[in-house]
Amino acid sequence: MNKNELDPAWVESQLRDAQWLTSSASSGGTNCVEVAFLDQDIVALRDSKNPDKAPHLFTDSEYDAFVSGIQNGELRRP
């Protein structure tokens, strides 16, 4: 799946009906990242403070690599 070739109308529909998840460690759903697992193995990631801003879209494998990088400390600031 090439996420850059997704039909914008499909993406809009998926995001409108998405079930956004937040970390259990978040403080009441503020100041955190939200994730939604869409059809066609697409994952959407957004800032809970700006839910109307377009989310970042990842393929499942890109999202898995992103999460793995966080868990392994690879994405820390130098």
Side-chain angles (χ1 to χ4, degrees):
M1 164 59 53
N2 182 345
K3 68 177 183 259
N4 297 319
E5 297 176 359
L6 293 171
D7 176 9
W10 178 86
V11 172
E12 183 180 336
S13 172
Q14 288 285 300
L15 294 174
R16 184 177 44 251
D17 298 333
Q19 293 184 0
W20 292 94
L21 306 172
T22 58
S23 168
S24 60
S26 72
S27 57
T30 60
N31 299 324
C32 64
V33 173
E34 296 177 320
V35 64
F37 298 98
L38 311 179
D39 293 340
Q40 297 187 31
D41 298 326
I42 299 295
V43 181
L45 192 71
R46 72 180 183 185
D47 179 351
S48 66
K49 296 182 303 301
N50 297 301
D52 294 328
K53 187 175 178 182
H56 297 282
L57 298 179
F58 297 90
T59 63
D60 275 348
S61 59
E62 289 170 334
Y63 181 73
D64 290 344
F66 177 71
V67 170
S68 178
I70 292 171
Q71 291 172 331
N72 295 328
E74 297 168 8
L75 302 176
R76 295 191 189 280
R77 286 181 180 238

